[in-house]
PDB file of all heavy atoms in Angstrom:
ATOM      1  N   GLN A  59       4.215 -25.444 106.910  1.00 99.00           N
ATOM      2  CA  GLN A  59       3.960 -24.886 108.238  1.00 99.00           C
ATOM      3  C   GLN A  59       3.144 -23.593 108.208  1.00 99.00           C
ATOM      4  O   GLN A  59       2.559 -23.216 109.223  1.00 99.00           O
ATOM      5  CB  GLN A  59       5.289 -24.659 108.970  1.00 99.00           C
ATOM      6  CG  GLN A  59       6.006 -25.969 109.258  1.00 99.00           C
ATOM      7  CD  GLN A  59       7.331 -25.771 109.952  1.00 99.00           C
ATOM      8  OE1 GLN A  59       8.348 -25.527 109.304  1.00 99.00           O
ATOM      9  NE2 GLN A  59       7.355 -25.876 111.266  1.00 99.00           N
ATOM     10  N   HIS A 160      11.457 -28.660 102.011  1.00 99.00           N
ATOM     11  CA  HIS A 160      11.309 -28.566 103.465  1.00 99.00           C
ATOM     12  C   HIS A 160      10.264 -29.595 103.883  1.00 99.00           C
ATOM     13  O   HIS A 160       9.206 -29.275 104.412  1.00 99.00           O
ATOM     14  CB  HIS A 160      10.937 -27.150 103.895  1.00 99.00           C
ATOM     15  CG  HIS A 160      11.273 -26.829 105.333  1.00 99.00           C
ATOM     16  ND1 HIS A 160      12.071 -25.774 105.711  1.00 99.00           N
ATOM     17  CD2 HIS A 160      10.918 -27.439 106.490  1.00 99.00           C
ATOM     18  CE1 HIS A 160      12.179 -25.741 107.035  1.00 99.00           C
ATOM     19  NE2 HIS A 160      11.472 -26.748 107.534  1.00 99.00           N
ATOM     20  N   ASN A 205      16.280 -29.000 103.407  1.00 99.00           N
ATOM     21  CA  ASN A 205      16.311 -28.549 104.791  1.00 99.00           C
ATOM     22  C   ASN A 205      16.444 -29.759 105.718  1.00 99.00           C
ATOM     23  O   ASN A 205      15.595 -30.658 105.705  1.00 99.00           O
ATOM     24  CB  ASN A 205      15.015 -27.816 105.144  1.00 99.00           C
ATOM     25  CG  ASN A 205      15.001 -27.393 106.610  1.00 99.00           C
ATOM     26  OD1 ASN A 205      15.740 -26.505 107.009  1.00 99.00           O
ATOM     27  ND2 ASN A 205      14.192 -28.056 107.425  1.00 99.00           N
ATOM     28  N   GLU A 206      17.513 -29.782 106.493  1.00 99.00           N
ATOM     29  CA  GLU A 206      17.708 -30.771 107.558  1.00 99.00           C
ATOM     30  C   GLU A 206      17.476 -32.213 107.112  1.00 99.00           C
ATOM     31  O   GLU A 206      16.579 -32.899 107.623  1.00 99.00           O
ATOM     32  CB  GLU A 206      16.790 -30.457 108.742  1.00 99.00           C
ATOM     33  CG  GLU A 206      17.002 -29.081 109.335  1.00 99.00           C
ATOM     34  CD  GLU A 206      16.327 -28.917 110.683  1.00 99.00           C
ATOM     35  OE1 GLU A 206      15.625 -29.843 111.131  1.00 99.00           O
ATOM     36  OE2 GLU A 206      16.505 -27.853 111.296  1.00 99.00           O
ATOM     37  N   TYR A 349      19.484 -25.322 117.400  1.00 98.00           N
ATOM     38  CA  TYR A 349      18.632 -24.798 118.460  1.00 98.00           C
ATOM     39  C   TYR A 349      19.169 -25.105 119.851  1.00 98.00           C
ATOM     40  O   TYR A 349      18.838 -24.421 120.803  1.00 98.00           O
ATOM     41  CB  TYR A 349      17.231 -25.420 118.351  1.00 98.00           C
ATOM     42  CG  TYR A 349      16.455 -24.961 117.136  1.00 98.00           C
ATOM     43  CD1 TYR A 349      16.653 -25.535 115.889  1.00 98.00           C
ATOM     44  CD2 TYR A 349      15.526 -23.937 117.248  1.00 98.00           C
ATOM     45  CE1 TYR A 349      15.945 -25.106 114.784  1.00 98.00           C
ATOM     46  CE2 TYR A 349      14.808 -23.500 116.142  1.00 98.00           C
ATOM     47  CZ  TYR A 349      15.020 -24.089 114.913  1.00 98.00           C
ATOM     48  OH  TYR A 349      14.325 -23.655 113.813  1.00 98.00           O
ATOM     49  N   TRP A 387      12.790 -31.171 123.507  1.00 98.00           N
ATOM     50  CA  TRP A 387      14.151 -31.381 122.975  1.00 98.00           C
ATOM     51  C   TRP A 387      14.986 -30.104 122.992  1.00 98.00           C
ATOM     52  O   TRP A 387      16.184 -30.156 122.747  1.00 98.00           O
ATOM     53  CB  TRP A 387      14.069 -31.911 121.535  1.00 98.00           C
ATOM     54  CG  TRP A 387      13.223 -31.028 120.638  1.00 98.00           C
ATOM     55  CD1 TRP A 387      11.879 -31.114 120.436  1.00 98.00           C
ATOM     56  CD2 TRP A 387      13.668 -29.916 119.855  1.00 98.00           C
ATOM     57  NE1 TRP A 387      11.451 -30.124 119.584  1.00 98.00           N
ATOM     58  CE2 TRP A 387      12.526 -29.374 119.199  1.00 98.00           C
ATOM     59  CE3 TRP A 387      14.910 -29.311 119.626  1.00 98.00           C
ATOM     60  CZ2 TRP A 387      12.603 -28.269 118.347  1.00 98.00           C
ATOM     61  CZ3 TRP A 387      14.977 -28.210 118.770  1.00 98.00           C
ATOM     62  CH2 TRP A 387      13.832 -27.702 118.147  1.00 98.00           C
ATOM     63  N   GLU A 415      18.407 -21.196 110.541  1.00 99.00           N
ATOM     64  CA  GLU A 415      17.339 -21.273 111.545  1.00 99.00           C
ATOM     65  C   GLU A 415      17.950 -21.264 112.936  1.00 99.00           C
ATOM     66  O   GLU A 415      18.953 -21.924 113.183  1.00 99.00           O
ATOM     67  CB  GLU A 415      16.534 -22.574 111.429  1.00 99.00           C
ATOM     68  CG  GLU A 415      15.494 -22.592 110.364  1.00 99.00           C
ATOM     69  CD  GLU A 415      14.751 -23.924 110.319  1.00 99.00           C
ATOM     70  OE1 GLU A 415      14.551 -24.547 111.376  1.00 99.00           O
ATOM     71  OE2 GLU A 415      14.394 -24.334 109.212  1.00 99.00           O
ATOM     72  N   TRP A 459      14.075 -18.264 113.373  1.00 99.00           N
ATOM     73  CA  TRP A 459      12.923 -19.144 113.216  1.00 99.00           C
ATOM     74  C   TRP A 459      11.979 -18.863 114.363  1.00 99.00           C
ATOM     75  O   TRP A 459      12.333 -19.107 115.483  1.00 99.00           O
ATOM     76  CB  TRP A 459      13.323 -20.627 113.225  1.00 99.00           C
ATOM     77  CG  TRP A 459      12.116 -21.477 113.004  1.00 99.00           C
ATOM     78  CD1 TRP A 459      11.255 -21.951 113.950  1.00 99.00           C
ATOM     79  CD2 TRP A 459      11.599 -21.905 111.731  1.00 99.00           C
ATOM     80  NE1 TRP A 459      10.228 -22.643 113.360  1.00 99.00           N
ATOM     81  CE2 TRP A 459      10.420 -22.632 112.006  1.00 99.00           C
ATOM     82  CE3 TRP A 459      12.007 -21.736 110.408  1.00 99.00           C
ATOM     83  CZ2 TRP A 459       9.653 -23.196 110.984  1.00 99.00           C
ATOM     84  CZ3 TRP A 459      11.245 -22.299 109.409  1.00 99.00           C
ATOM     85  CH2 TRP A 459      10.079 -23.025 109.701  1.00 99.00           C
ATOM     86  N   GLU A 466       3.785 -26.582 114.030  1.00 98.00           N
ATOM     87  CA  GLU A 466       5.067 -27.135 114.469  1.00 98.00           C
ATOM     88  C   GLU A 466       5.029 -28.670 114.373  1.00 98.00           C
ATOM     89  O   GLU A 466       5.075 -29.386 115.352  1.00 98.00           O
ATOM     90  CB  GLU A 466       5.384 -26.624 115.883  1.00 98.00           C
ATOM     91  CG  GLU A 466       6.634 -27.153 116.550  1.00 98.00           C
ATOM     92  CD  GLU A 466       7.927 -27.048 115.738  1.00 98.00           C
ATOM     93  OE1 GLU A 466       7.998 -26.254 114.790  1.00 98.00           O
ATOM     94  OE2 GLU A 466       8.856 -27.805 116.062  1.00 98.00           O
ATOM     95  N   TRP A 467       4.899 -29.144 113.144  1.00 98.00           N
ATOM     96  CA  TRP A 467       4.955 -30.583 112.844  1.00 98.00           C
ATOM     97  C   TRP A 467       4.069 -31.397 113.797  1.00 98.00           C
ATOM     98  O   TRP A 467       2.918 -31.021 113.972  1.00 98.00           O
ATOM     99  CB  TRP A 467       6.423 -31.041 112.809  1.00 98.00           C
ATOM    100  CG  TRP A 467       7.230 -30.151 111.885  1.00 98.00           C
ATOM    101  CD1 TRP A 467       8.226 -29.285 112.221  1.00 98.00           C
ATOM    102  CD2 TRP A 467       7.061 -29.991 110.445  1.00 98.00           C
ATOM    103  NE1 TRP A 467       8.697 -28.619 111.107  1.00 98.00           N
ATOM    104  CE2 TRP A 467       8.002 -29.030 110.014  1.00 98.00           C
ATOM    105  CE3 TRP A 467       6.224 -30.578 109.483  1.00 98.00           C
ATOM    106  CZ2 TRP A 467       8.115 -28.631 108.674  1.00 98.00           C
ATOM    107  CZ3 TRP A 467       6.337 -30.184 108.156  1.00 98.00           C
ATOM    108  CH2 TRP A 467       7.265 -29.235 107.766  1.00 98.00           C
TER     109      TRP A 467
HETATM  110  C1  LIG B   1      13.539 -27.263 112.462  1.00 64.41           C
HETATM  111  C2  LIG B   1      12.665 -27.253 111.240  1.00 64.41           C
HETATM  112  C3  LIG B   1      11.631 -26.182 111.253  1.00 64.41           C
HETATM  113  C4  LIG B   1      11.023 -25.927 112.614  1.00 64.41           C
HETATM  114  C5  LIG B   1      12.062 -25.910 113.706  1.00 64.41           C
HETATM  115  C6  LIG B   1      11.518 -25.824 115.119  1.00 64.41           C
HETATM  116  O1  LIG B   1      14.103 -28.521 112.643  1.00 64.41           O
HETATM  117  O2  LIG B   1      13.456 -27.079 110.090  1.00 64.41           O
HETATM  118  O3  LIG B   1      10.680 -26.510 110.287  1.00 64.41           O
HETATM  119  O4  LIG B   1       9.946 -26.701 112.863  1.00 64.41           O
HETATM  120  O5  LIG B   1      12.867 -27.046 113.650  1.00 64.41           O
HETATM  121  O6  LIG B   1      11.179 -27.080 115.601  1.00 64.41           O
END
Side-chain angles (χ1 to χ4, degrees):
Q59 295 179 276
H160 202 124
N205 177 70
E206 302 193 356
Y349 291 82
W387 54 271
E415 280 180 34
W459 182 272
E466 176 52 20
W467 308 113

